[in-house]
Amino acid sequence: MLSFAKDPYIVVAMSFMMGLVMTFAVRRFAWKYDFVARPKSDRWHNRPTAMLGGAAIFLATAGAFVLFVPLTRSSLIIFGGIVAGLLWEVTRHVLV
């Protein structure tokens, strides 16, 4: 964990900045590789709109987690559960 991470205002500001940076980076990626929603009659927008906004939010949240959450056993368990949930579909049925 970084030494300045004890001040909650700095953590919030840094997380917000990571969100902005990731949003613009993912938007540029979406336009470059044609991940855009084209205007259709069932959509509200009149111009092509970049998609993958959820990926930007996820990357900013994961980055904030890695930078600001202290590395303890519980944080490793949480991170491991997230990775397992992304990699294996079988873990979805564990809570049923």
Side-chain angles (χ1 to χ4, degrees):
M1 185 169 82
L2 302 173
S3 62
F4 58 82
K6 295 178 182 175
D7 186 9
Y9 295 114
I10 293 176
V11 171
V12 168
M14 295 281 291
S15 300
F16 180 75
M17 292 302 294
M18 282 194 304
L20 284 177
V21 168
M22 292 311 299
T23 299
F24 286 112
V26 169
R27 184 173 184 226
R28 182 176 293 241
F29 175 83
W31 279 103
K32 184 176 181 178
Y33 293 104
D34 201 35
F35 288 107
V36 294
R38 306 276 179 221
K40 293 183 182 178
S41 62
D42 63 340
R43 298 190 180 146
W44 290 32
H45 53 83
N46 297 327
R47 298 181 312 202
T49 303
M51 297 188 297
L52 301 177
I57 293 169
F58 172 77
L59 291 172
T61 304
F65 182 84
V66 168
L67 283 178
F68 300 122
V69 173
L71 191 60
T72 61
R73 288 186 206 150
S74 60
S75 65
L76 288 176
I77 290 170
I78 291 170
F79 187 69
I82 292 171
V83 170
L86 292 173
L87 294 179
W88 298 288
E89 189 176 342
V90 178
T91 57
R92 179 173 50 144
H93 302 291
V94 170
L95 297 176
V96 176

